[in-house]
Amino acid sequence: MSLMQRYGRSKSVVKRSKKYLEEALYHKLFKDGGSELSVRQQLNQFIKSGKRVYKWEVGDTLKKLRQRKLYLPALKLSETMAKRNMNKTVSDQAIHLDLLAKARGIAAAENYFVNLPESAKNHLCYGALLNCYCKELMTEKAEGLMEKMKELSLPLTSMPYNSLMTLYTKVGQPEKIPSIIQEMKTSNIMLDSYTYNVWMRALAAVNDISGVERVMDEMKRDGRVTGDWTTYSNLASIFVDAGLHEKAEMALKELEKRNARKDLSAYQFLITLYGRIGKIYEVYRVWRSLRLAFPKTANISYLNMIQVLVNLNDLPGAEKCFREWESGCSTYDIRVASTLIGAYAKLDMLEKAEELKEHARRRGAKPNAKTWEIFLDYHLQKGDFKLAVDCLDKAISTGRGNGEKWVPSSETIGIMMRHFEQEKDVDGAEEFVEILKKSVDSLGAEVFESLIRTYAAAGRTSSAMQRRLKMENVEVSEDTQKLLEAISVE
């Protein structure tokens, strides 16, 4: 049997036996859970084993890995299959390009694209690279590539236009979207539901609510695109933001009608948006429907429901929902507990907040950065800066759940530095700066200027401050420069 036959065979999943499907690659990778570490370990075992795998398995596994944002394992699997001479379609190459951008950066994706044979550079690969540029907010490169696609007369669908319009929305240029819509219409490119959603969002961004309603009417008249639940969640959200609660409620009723497939995200949008317009009865009604549709209710659903009840000032309801979750959860999720901890802190119920934090710890859920941020904000409001610094230190040391650093807001940093400055507390300020250095790559001019003013206010001198500024490549204002010279000693 050739390598192509062995590793590139494509068969219908439907024709496979139940036993075979249960042993499929994606089941093997996720058998110890969905964390990146466990998936990578299982993937390494599979690669070392050299076991045969069918192309449909690889395709389904890559899809599931991408859905879970496990881009590094997905890329490794894709590269391994290429080494095993599995036949890659142009669609596979577009997916590989996208994985490279997410796992190794845009430069890696560009290099891959450049080295592809010209025959493989069709609308799918160009579209994948365009989507990467749009996600990275690289406007000039995205616009340039779109023009190149037109010059090459590649068959264009709504997808590249949707990517470009999403980019303009994110970079605050919604005014560019109507001209793109017009170009699509002129080129007879069919607008899809995503196109209409982005168009409506662009009009909402410039407060043209009547324009949003006109677009919705146009979509209905067109007849080729049927608004699904995402269309009406988008419309309802626009109306909520505009304070048009009656219209929002009508859109939410339409959303419910279109959720025949009982999509979990649809239920969660309904709960959130009904909550935002103060309809607590509807919140509970939809929650009951969600629980019936999903008896094994996910942690994220409880998290969303508890947050909505907290926002509606229904603390007893939030506590009851929390107890229900806690009694049946298979994994004690600190995010759910932190939602209630945050509610207690806002209501000045520090003792209950602390008790719940410790209770969660005993259940195996350590406080995350968000938990410590809640206590940080509480102590800042109370003016207890010693405890606030301690919480900030713990938040930085814990980091984010995805492995990234937790960085305090510039507002929080400013409040703390001003406190040390007012108290003439040089030692406290220096201790705080050392903690910050574990989180931020560059302290910046504002932190150093405040630190220099603290030294000056306390009548302290420094033999290293000028050297520190040079090492950090920081330039201070003219007034601060004078203070710097005054506190500096050889």
Side-chain angles (χ1 to χ4, degrees):
M1 181 182 288
S2 71
L3 280 171
M4 188 71 76
Q5 288 173 317
R6 186 179 179 190
Y7 296 116
R9 188 179 297 174
S10 179
K11 295 287 184 182
S12 170
V13 179
V14 179
K15 294 179 182 177
R16 296 291 175 194
S17 68
K18 181 181 178 184
K19 181 178 183 298
Y20 191 91
L21 289 175
E22 286 173 352
E23 294 175 356
L25 178 58
Y26 48 82
H27 285 299
K28 293 172 187 173
L29 296 192
F30 293 115
K31 74 174 188 178
D32 291 335
S35 72
E36 181 160 352
L37 179 61
S38 66
V39 170
R40 284 168 66 182
Q41 288 172 341
Q42 292 299 323
L43 178 60
N44 288 338
Q45 286 180 24
F46 158 72
I47 292 170
K48 286 178 183 176
S49 72
K51 288 181 180 177
R52 62 183 289 166
V53 63
Y54 289 91
K55 194 173 191 309
W56 70 263
E57 290 183 81
V58 176
D60 280 13
T61 304
L62 287 175
K63 182 179 179 181
K64 287 176 170 60
L65 290 170
R66 292 171 77 208
Q67 286 172 342
R68 298 185 186 211
K69 299 186 182 346
L70 297 171
Y71 302 122
L72 276 169
L75 178 61
K76 188 170 185 179
L77 175 60
S78 182
E79 289 177 334
T80 300
M81 292 304 101
K83 289 174 184 174
R84 291 185 179 186
N85 293 323
M86 177 175 280
N87 184 35
K88 272 191 190 297
T89 64
V90 177
S91 176
D92 295 332
Q93 289 167 334
I95 290 170
H96 190 82
L97 188 151
D98 180 68
L99 286 172
L100 277 168
K102 289 183 170 73
R104 293 184 188 153
I106 199 74
E110 288 176 319
N111 288 336
Y112 178 78
F113 180 82
V114 168
N115 292 321
L116 281 173
E118 289 302 314
S119 60
K121 293 178 183 176
N122 70 352
H123 66 288
L124 293 175
C125 284
Y126 268 97
L129 184 58
L130 174 69
N131 190 50
C132 294
Y133 285 149
C134 290
K135 286 188 175 179
E136 293 297 319
L137 308 184
M138 301 170 76
T139 306
E140 286 186 17
K141 284 197 170 188
E143 290 174 336
L145 192 64
M146 187 67 164
E147 288 306 311
K148 179 71 173 176
M149 292 169 75
K150 293 174 191 174
E151 287 172 16
L152 294 171
S153 299
L154 293 174
L156 297 179
T157 64
S158 61
M159 288 183 69
Y161 287 100
N162 288 345
S163 295
L164 203 55
M165 288 190 289
T166 303
L167 165 64
Y168 289 142
T169 301
K170 287 180 179 177
V171 298
Q173 296 178 343
E175 68 280 357
K176 289 187 175 183
I177 290 175
S179 63
I180 293 182
I181 296 291
Q182 190 56 51
E183 181 181 326
M184 291 176 72
K185 289 179 177 180
T186 303
S187 303
N188 292 318
I189 295 171
M190 182 177 162
L191 280 61
D192 59 22
S193 60
Y194 189 93
T195 312
Y196 280 110
N197 283 344
V198 176
W199 189 7
M200 285 190 279
R201 274 284 169 200
L203 293 168
V206 293
N207 298 314
D208 185 2
I209 304 303
S210 60
V212 171
E213 293 175 306
R214 285 195 301 274
V215 170
M216 193 68 192
D217 290 339
E218 179 181 320
M219 188 185 77
K220 290 176 182 176
R221 286 195 308 273
D222 185 299
R224 293 176 297 173
V225 178
T226 303
D228 58 10
W229 73 261
T230 63
T231 306
Y232 285 92
S233 69
N234 183 49
L235 186 63
S237 179
I238 288 169
F239 286 144
V240 170
D241 290 341
L244 301 170
H245 289 186
E246 286 186 15
K247 288 186 175 183
E249 190 169 2
M250 288 172 63
L252 290 172
K253 294 300 180 188
E254 289 295 325
L255 192 166
E256 291 191 62
K257 290 177 186 176
R258 284 161 174 77
N259 190 29
R261 293 185 179 179
K262 301 186 185 303
D263 190 294
L264 178 60
S265 295
Y267 283 118
Q268 294 186 168
F269 269 108
L270 283 164
I271 288 169
T272 299
L273 293 171
Y274 273 129
R276 287 185 63 194
I277 60 176
K279 297 288 182 179
I280 193 166
Y281 171 80
E282 302 293 344
V283 167
Y284 276 109
R285 180 181 61 77
V286 176
W287 175 246
R288 286 192 294 271
S289 297
L290 185 155
R291 295 279 286 116
L292 285 170
F294 299 92
K296 291 184 178 179
T297 310
N299 287 350
I300 192 69
S301 298
Y302 275 104
L303 172 63
N304 185 54
M305 180 63 176
I306 293 168
Q307 186 62 68
V308 168
L309 294 176
V310 165
N311 293 343
L312 288 167
N313 299 315
D314 182 11
L315 185 60
E319 290 175 318
K320 182 180 177 182
C321 192
F322 179 80
R323 288 193 297 270
E324 180 186 289
W325 165 75
E326 195 177 42
S327 66
C329 67
S330 57
T331 304
Y332 203 96
D333 192 334
I334 189 61
R335 296 175 302 167
V336 182
S338 291
T339 304
L340 200 53
I341 289 169
Y344 289 145
K346 283 183 180 177
L347 293 169
D348 205 13
M349 301 166 70
L350 181 61
E351 189 175 337
K352 291 200 79 168
E354 291 280 7
E355 284 175 0
L356 182 52
K357 172 170 68 71
E358 292 309 310
H359 174 71
R361 195 195 296 271
R362 289 193 295 273
R363 290 287 301 267
K366 294 179 181 179
N368 62 10
K370 179 62 181 176
T371 316
W372 290 119
E373 191 176 3
I374 290 166
F375 289 102
L376 162 64
D377 290 342
Y378 177 86
H379 293 307
L380 277 181
Q381 287 177 359
K382 296 297 179 181
D384 193 331
F385 284 86
K386 189 175 186 302
L387 287 175
V389 169
D390 183 56
C391 290
L392 184 138
D393 189 13
K394 286 174 177 171
I396 289 173
S397 298
T398 304
R400 297 193 180 279
N402 59 5
E404 293 180 1
K405 292 180 181 179
W406 177 85
V407 181
S409 68
S410 56
E411 183 184 3
T412 297
I413 294 171
I415 290 170
M416 289 190 159
M417 289 303 297
R418 283 192 294 275
H419 163 75
F420 295 123
E421 194 177 327
Q422 289 164 5
E423 295 296 313
K424 303 176 184 179
D425 184 0
V426 170
D427 294 337
E430 287 285 16
E431 181 186 345
F432 177 64
V433 165
E434 285 303 307
I435 292 169
L436 272 184
K437 283 162 70 174
K438 293 187 289 185
S439 176
V440 298
D441 296 324
S442 176
L443 292 172
E446 290 184 11
V447 170
F448 273 108
E449 287 186 347
S450 180
L451 185 60
I452 291 166
R453 289 195 297 270
T454 305
Y455 268 87
R460 295 269 295 270
T461 57
S462 171
S463 59
M465 190 64 73
Q466 292 197 21
R467 186 168 66 253
R468 288 167 70 181
L469 290 176
K470 284 182 181 178
M471 288 175 65
E472 292 279 346
N473 197 26
V474 169
E475 292 185 10
V476 296
S477 68
E478 192 176 327
D479 289 340
T480 307
Q481 185 65 38
K482 292 175 182 177
L483 288 177
L484 175 63
E485 291 168 4
I487 69 165
S488 296
V489 294
E490 293 296 330

